[in-house]
Amino acid sequence: MDRDPGRIGSYFRQQWRVLLVVTVTGILYNLGLAAGPWFEGQMVQKLTDIIGGRAPAAQMIRLALTYLLVIAAVQFMRFLKRLYVRKFANRTSLAMKQTLYRNLLEADTGIGSGDAMTRAISDVDDCAEGMRKFTTELFDTGVVMAAYLALLLHYDVRLTLLCLIFPPLAWLLAQKLKRPVSSAASEAKQSAGRLADASLNRTALTRTWRIFGLESRRNALYENVLADYEHRQIRSGILTSSAEPVYFIISSVSLILIIWLGGRNVLGTGWTDWDIAAFSAFLACFTRLATKSSHVGKLFGAVQKARVSWERIRPFMKNIHLKEEKTAPAGPLLVESLSIDRLSGSGRMFEKVSFQAQPGQIIGITGPVSSGKTSLGLALLGCLPFTGTVSLAGRNMDQFRDAGLSWASWLGHDPLLLSASIEDNIMLGQQHTEAELARLLELVCLDREVSAMENGIRTRVGEGGVRLSGGQQARLALARALAHPRPLLILDDPFSAVDAATEDALMANLRQCCSGRVVLLISHRLGHFPETDAVLYLEPASSLSGDPADGSHFGTHQELLAYCAGYRRLWELAAEGTEVRS
């Protein structure tokens, strides 16, 4: 279904089937809740009759069993409603994040601060949560209050109208708190962003502050930012959470009238004649109505928080990718041969590199310090200028770029991770199933570690992945590279932070899952190079003459050992246990 991601209503229309189930189950559940006070009143009356000898105990048992069956059916409807509301929220969050990632990561949005992505993802979560609560409370508050009101009017119209004076006062108070709640939520968000920036600066520039004797001053400034964050979060929390008890107290003033006037009804001196069952049912029903009316404040707080978040992310919720989708060929590009002819980087980072590779092949790339291994990878990504030709299945790399296609996945020295969940870092908003995500974690040997985390795949990794070890960061970034298949997979030292056993497993899994693409394995750890299909050895720039015939050597591991002295020397150092740094 076509949708405009810049309009909230489009997300409701997109999930209309799920919301239809929510509507049916929500109405049945909330209408069924009105049966609770009626049954409770009947049981109080029945107990009174049994004590007075006017009814046998067996009637109480039958009434209680009927009550349990009705409540069980009502709770089953509640389970279905909540299940589908959660599905709606999850799918909405995924759709929003998919659009957000495409805009922030693929478009020139001008976002450069470290906390921008963090705040954007948090805003999406808040927005989806607000939509979930709105959908839930529409039934749990709106429909059930209508059912309770109908039951109250059935028992005593005048007493009901008199008691209903106070709940609207609570709603008016909610409207009065609209501006301060919204303002406090916005200020808390801004303060969180300032704290994130201050934390990054404090970590990255600690040595600089110390050298120039500014460490104490910067610490004092950081404490001020932290104190401001604490103050604004507390204020926002108080306004959001303390409102509901106040609403309930105001709504509950009517209980005094029920006890007084309802008691007169039981005694036969009031507006209507009641028995104990009617009094108990009316009192229980109004208590629940007052409780539900207090939820208006809770719903209002969530909606206001979601509104603030939506206004922040709305500029980035655009279909900027539609033009690319119209011009690009359909389907992922996987099975492609790679041909590189006399490739040279600017500034002689590498010289006259030529080789060919077929889908399913793993090509090892190595060389001494400053031989241009990483620069070669960046050039193949289109991030560095070069001369020569790079083609996939006979098509020049520029043709892919002009068509808006991405031709390579990448894992660099320092994986760039978002301050988001493990799931978001891998999928980047792409549609997926839990089985697909579990398979990716298994391929990168991260499945057991993630399952042991408290929140599993939804565990947040912190800014830049600070909550993970170096090996976990690299494997998480590798899972992301595998999750977005491209004809070319470039891995720059993917095994530098893992142990030997994990390295063996990762190498075997790469061979298994990359049959449809070319893998370039840049590494100074040569233990698995005999298993590669070929090896590219780059000569260091300092050893090249003014006009070298060739700046690289390409062949199998055994061939290079036989004729390439530089590669043979690296292999001997690796065999001796000497680490050759790239």
Side-chain angles (χ1 to χ4, degrees):
M1 180 181 294
D2 292 337
R3 65 181 182 88
D4 178 5
R7 300 178 67 87
I8 284 288
S10 68
Y11 297 96
F12 287 94
R13 290 192 296 272
Q14 187 184 25
Q15 299 297 327
W16 70 269
R17 292 183 179 86
V18 173
L19 292 175
L20 179 61
V21 178
V22 172
T23 301
V24 174
T25 56
I27 291 175
L28 292 176
Y29 161 59
N30 287 285
L31 290 178
L33 285 179
W38 184 86
F39 270 103
E40 291 170 14
Q42 293 299 313
M43 287 190 290
V44 171
Q45 181 66 58
K46 190 63 65 178
L47 181 60
T48 303
D49 292 341
I50 291 172
I51 294 174
R54 295 184 296 273
Q59 292 183 4
M60 184 66 166
I61 296 174
R62 288 195 295 270
L63 183 61
L65 289 176
T66 304
Y67 176 59
L68 290 176
L69 290 174
V70 170
I71 294 301
V74 169
Q75 292 302 315
F76 180 68
M77 290 296 104
R78 180 192 187 194
F79 163 75
L80 290 178
K81 179 186 73 70
R82 292 202 168 190
L83 173 64
Y84 279 87
V85 166
R86 178 55 63 184
K87 283 187 176 182
F88 163 71
N90 290 343
R91 293 179 181 180
T92 297
S93 177
L94 182 61
M96 286 184 173
K97 286 179 179 177
Q98 187 175 13
T99 302
L100 185 71
Y101 286 135
R102 286 179 174 177
N103 278 273
L104 294 182
L105 299 178
E106 296 181 11
D108 182 14
T109 60
I111 289 187
S113 62
D115 76 310
M117 181 66 81
T118 302
R119 288 188 286 109
I121 295 172
S122 176
D123 285 334
V124 168
D125 292 336
D126 288 342
C127 198
E129 182 65 9
M131 295 170 68
R132 183 192 70 80
K133 288 184 177 179
F134 172 80
T135 306
T136 299
E137 296 301 332
L138 179 66
F139 297 99
D140 289 1
T141 298
V143 175
V144 76
M145 285 180 66
Y148 286 151
L149 180 60
L151 187 59
L152 292 173
L153 291 171
H154 167 73
Y155 281 114
D156 191 325
V157 174
R158 284 173 289 188
L159 180 56
T160 299
L161 295 178
L162 185 61
C163 292
L164 288 179
I165 293 175
F166 295 96
L169 295 179
W171 303 336
L172 290 175
L173 179 60
Q175 289 298 317
K176 291 293 184 181
L177 288 175
K178 179 178 180 179
R179 185 181 298 274
V181 169
S182 177
S183 176
S186 178
E187 291 173 3
K189 288 279 187 182
Q190 294 172 7
S191 181
R194 290 193 294 268
L195 179 60
D197 277 337
S199 298
L200 288 175
N201 290 335
R202 188 185 191 193
T203 302
L205 301 175
T206 297
R207 182 177 300 174
T208 302
W209 305 138
R210 188 173 300 158
I211 290 173
F212 289 98
L214 298 174
E215 189 172 17
S216 298
R217 181 181 176 185
R218 298 305 303 183
N219 287 341
L221 291 174
Y222 182 78
E223 290 297 328
N224 291 336
V225 174
L226 181 60
D228 177 75
Y229 169 78
E230 292 174 347
H231 169 73
R232 297 187 187 280
Q233 288 292 332
I234 290 173
R235 180 173 180 268
S236 177
I238 289 176
L239 287 174
T240 302
S241 61
S242 65
E244 184 174 347
V246 174
Y247 302 149
F248 178 71
I249 291 172
I250 296 175
S251 299
S252 298
V253 173
S254 299
L255 295 178
I256 300 174
L257 296 175
I258 295 173
I259 294 173
W260 174 38
L261 298 175
R264 295 184 60 182
N265 285 344
V266 175
L267 295 175
T269 60
W271 288 321
T272 187
D273 290 330
W274 278 0
D275 55 13
I276 296 296
F279 178 82
S280 300
F282 193 95
L283 181 62
C285 187
F286 188 84
T287 301
R288 296 182 186 182
L289 184 143
T291 302
K292 287 296 182 182
S293 68
S294 69
H295 290 178
V296 173
K298 182 179 180 180
L299 172 61
F300 170 76
V303 170
Q304 288 303 309
K305 188 175 182 180
R307 187 185 67 82
V308 172
S309 298
W310 174 252
E311 292 301 323
R312 288 161 61 101
I313 63 174
R314 187 174 181 178
F316 310 115
M317 306 300 288
K318 300 175 182 177
N319 275 326
I320 63 165
H321 56 284
L322 293 180
K323 183 178 180 180
E324 294 182 355
E325 291 177 350
K326 292 178 181 178
T327 58
L333 297 171
L334 288 180
V335 184
E336 302 283 351
S337 60
L338 172 67
S339 177
I340 296 177
D341 184 31
R342 301 180 68 79
L343 195 70
S344 298
S346 62
R348 300 187 67 195
M349 294 178 293
F350 51 86
E351 291 278 357
K352 308 289 181 65
V353 176
S354 299
F355 68 91
Q356 293 185 343
Q358 299 300 318
Q361 289 188 332
I362 299 178
I363 308 299
I365 300 178
T366 191
V369 175
S370 301
S371 58
K373 301 183 292 297
T374 297
S375 298
L376 174 61
L378 292 173
L380 294 177
L381 287 171
C383 298
L384 291 178
F386 62 85
T387 59
T389 303
V390 178
S391 60
L392 292 165
R395 285 191 289 175
N396 191 280
M397 195 166 67
D398 290 337
Q399 293 178 280
F400 286 83
R401 183 185 291 108
D402 294 340
L405 293 172
S406 177
W407 60 87
S409 297
W410 163 260
L411 170 59
H413 281 295
D414 299 313
L416 299 177
L417 301 179
L418 307 174
S419 181
S421 67
I422 289 174
E423 179 181 18
D424 287 337
N425 268 283
I426 294 175
M427 303 311 304
L428 299 178
Q430 177 176 286
Q431 297 282 350
H432 64 282
T433 64
E434 290 189 5
E436 291 169 341
L437 187 58
R439 176 58 177 163
L440 288 168
L441 291 173
E442 182 181 356
L443 287 173
V444 298
C445 305
L446 200 56
D447 50 330
R448 293 183 180 179
E449 293 163 72
V450 171
S451 63
M453 297 177 183
E454 182 178 358
N455 297 315
I457 59 174
R458 292 176 177 81
T459 300
R460 300 183 73 85
V461 304
E463 188 71 35
V466 294
R467 296 178 183 172
L468 304 179
S469 67
Q472 289 173 331
Q473 291 177 16
R475 283 177 285 156
L476 181 59
L478 177 58
R480 178 170 60 196
L482 297 178
H484 304 272
R486 299 293 186 269
L488 184 60
L489 174 60
I490 304 174
L491 307 177
D492 193 354
D493 259 341
F495 309 136
S496 60
V498 300
D499 56 64
T502 303
E503 181 179 349
D504 293 342
L506 289 173
M507 190 67 182
N509 292 343
L510 276 177
R511 179 70 72 178
Q512 174 188 350
C513 69
C514 293
S515 59
R517 50 187 140 173
V518 175
V519 179
L520 300 184
L521 176 60
I522 303 172
S523 181
H524 63 273
R525 298 174 65 164
L526 307 184
H528 286 284
F529 271 46
E531 304 168 25
T532 61
D533 297 282
V535 175
L536 174 68
Y537 175 79
L538 298 179
E539 294 284 1
S542 59
S543 68
L544 300 178
S545 61
D547 185 21
D550 194 14
S552 65
H553 304 277
F554 184 74
T556 65
H557 168 72
Q558 293 298 332
E559 289 173 346
L560 291 190
L561 285 180
Y563 80 86
C564 181
Y567 181 73
R568 185 166 56 250
R569 174 58 179 163
L570 286 183
W571 176 253
E572 291 171 351
L573 290 173
E576 294 171 1
T578 303
E579 196 173 72
V580 183
R581 291 292 181 185
S582 60

